[in-house]
Amino acid sequence: MNNVKHVEDSIADLRYKLQNHVLYQNLENIEDVKVFMENHVFAVWDFMSLLKALQIKLTSIGTPWLPSENAKLSRFINEIVIAEESDINEEGVPKSHFQMYLDAMNQVGANTEQIDNFIQSIKNGNSPLDGLSNSSINLKVSAFVKHTFSVIDTQQAHKIASAFTFGREDVIPDMFIKILDQSDKNNEKYNKLRYYLQRHIELDGDDHGPLSLMMIEELCGNDDQKWFEVQTVARESLQHRIALWDVINQIIEKKNNN
């Protein structure tokens, strides 16, 4: 059996659970979207950390420069980095997808204080784990980020690529767009979020998804142990994603019941 297909089959139960999560039913209006974004933004940020960890492992970024061991892998990851780290926003200005997300949060009125303080903590020289420990970030949100960095800390590219490729959501954009269609029919109040979501859909479906799978195939080859580890990390990552959805849903339900 094709190895990628085997991994996808092995995580199908978790993907089904994620794709049919009750959170999607409870995302009904912009106020719910604000709550979602205030917590999900940490997953947007740590996705970039996975990406940069892969770039460090798969390309030559030091000086003096040396050729990378696998130019095909370098091309795969560099193509993804270009768009994720320096895409063109709705105004034609180069920005990372993380910064686009923050801009969208500001436009919809979501609170960016926690993520701003977290980023500033890292700029001040603290580690991500210290930044999480010294903040009021929800513990399950912190657990999600900590798991991401536990994978990064393995320094094993195939494991990092697994979390990057299989541990992410693919339903939220469609859900958000339905809400935007209801609350901003003329695309005037929340155009930044709509643009971000559209880019997310375009890139994941047309470019980044296929590139990520090819990257994993190249990294694992015929090494059964690596494929087993990819499967293990994929399941762990999805389990943490579901736990993140659980806590965001709890926060939204608590807000709506008060």
Side-chain angles (χ1 to χ4, degrees):
M1 179 185 288
N2 176 280
N3 284 314
V4 167
K5 179 68 163 52
H6 179 73
V7 174
E8 290 176 333
D9 287 348
S10 74
I11 62 175
D13 60 322
L14 294 173
R15 290 196 62 80
Y16 180 85
K17 189 173 181 179
L18 184 64
Q19 292 166 355
N20 293 276
H21 200 285
V22 67
L23 171 62
Y24 303 127
Q25 299 173 27
N26 288 332
L27 282 171
E28 297 179 348
N29 53 52
I30 287 297
E31 293 304 313
D32 297 334
V33 169
K34 289 179 186 179
V35 173
F36 178 88
M37 297 182 78
E38 288 164 5
N39 294 279
H40 177 247
V41 65
F42 289 92
V44 177
W45 174 79
D46 80 356
F47 177 79
M48 296 300 298
S49 295
L50 286 168
L51 176 63
K52 298 306 287 186
L54 284 170
Q55 189 180 34
I56 291 168
K57 297 295 292 183
L58 303 181
T59 71
S60 180
I61 60 172
T63 55
W65 179 86
L66 292 171
S68 65
E69 295 181 4
N70 189 322
K72 184 185 293 186
L73 283 171
S74 295
R75 183 175 180 87
F76 287 163
I77 198 63
N78 281 333
E79 283 190 30
I80 298 174
V81 168
I82 287 172
E84 294 288 347
E85 194 172 37
S86 55
D87 201 4
I88 304 300
N89 74 359
E90 78 287 350
E91 297 176 350
V93 177
K95 282 196 174 182
S96 69
H97 282 187
F98 173 72
Q99 187 59 57
M100 287 186 196
Y101 197 88
L102 287 181
D103 290 347
M105 288 181 69
N106 285 318
Q107 189 181 52
V108 304
N111 190 335
T112 64
E113 183 177 358
Q114 284 191 333
I115 187 64
D116 289 341
N117 290 342
F118 176 69
I119 295 298
Q120 188 58 52
S121 174
I122 295 174
K123 287 181 178 179
N124 291 341
N126 296 308
S127 72
L129 297 187
D130 287 340
L132 292 169
S133 299
N134 298 326
S135 72
S136 58
I137 299 166
N138 184 282
L139 290 178
K140 287 191 177 179
V141 177
S142 295
F144 181 89
V145 178
K146 288 177 180 178
H147 172 260
T148 296
F149 277 86
S150 73
V151 176
I152 290 172
D153 288 344
T154 67
Q155 294 293 306
Q156 296 184 59
H158 64 289
K159 293 182 179 179
I160 301 170
S162 179
F164 180 87
T165 302
F166 296 113
R168 300 290 138 172
E169 77 282 353
D170 59 7
V171 175
I172 280 294
D174 291 337
M175 205 69 191
F176 274 16
I177 287 173
K178 290 179 182 177
I179 295 172
L180 294 177
D181 286 342
Q182 295 169 357
S183 57
D184 185 24
K185 294 180 181 179
N186 295 324
N187 195 29
E188 296 172 347
K189 294 189 294 183
Y190 310 127
N191 64 304
K192 292 182 182 297
L193 178 55
R194 186 187 296 271
Y195 182 86
Y196 170 87
L197 295 171
Q198 289 171 339
R199 289 297 291 154
H200 185 94
I201 293 169
E202 290 169 6
L203 290 172
D204 282 1
D206 296 340
D207 297 314
H208 295 181
L211 281 174
S212 297
L213 293 175
M214 286 189 286
M215 177 171 59
I216 287 178
E217 287 182 323
E218 189 72 18
L219 284 167
C220 294
N222 295 317
D223 190 323
D224 290 340
Q225 179 62 29
K226 285 186 176 180
W227 280 110
F228 174 76
E229 290 168 353
V230 162
Q231 177 181 319
T232 300
V233 171
R235 289 193 63 85
E236 291 173 351
S237 299
L238 285 171
Q239 287 164 347
H240 278 84
R241 171 70 57 172
I242 291 167
L244 178 62
W245 268 207
D246 287 344
V247 72
I248 294 175
N249 183 63
Q250 290 167 9
I251 296 169
I252 290 174
E253 285 186 334
K254 183 177 180 179
K255 171 185 70 72
N256 291 339
N257 290 332
N258 286 341

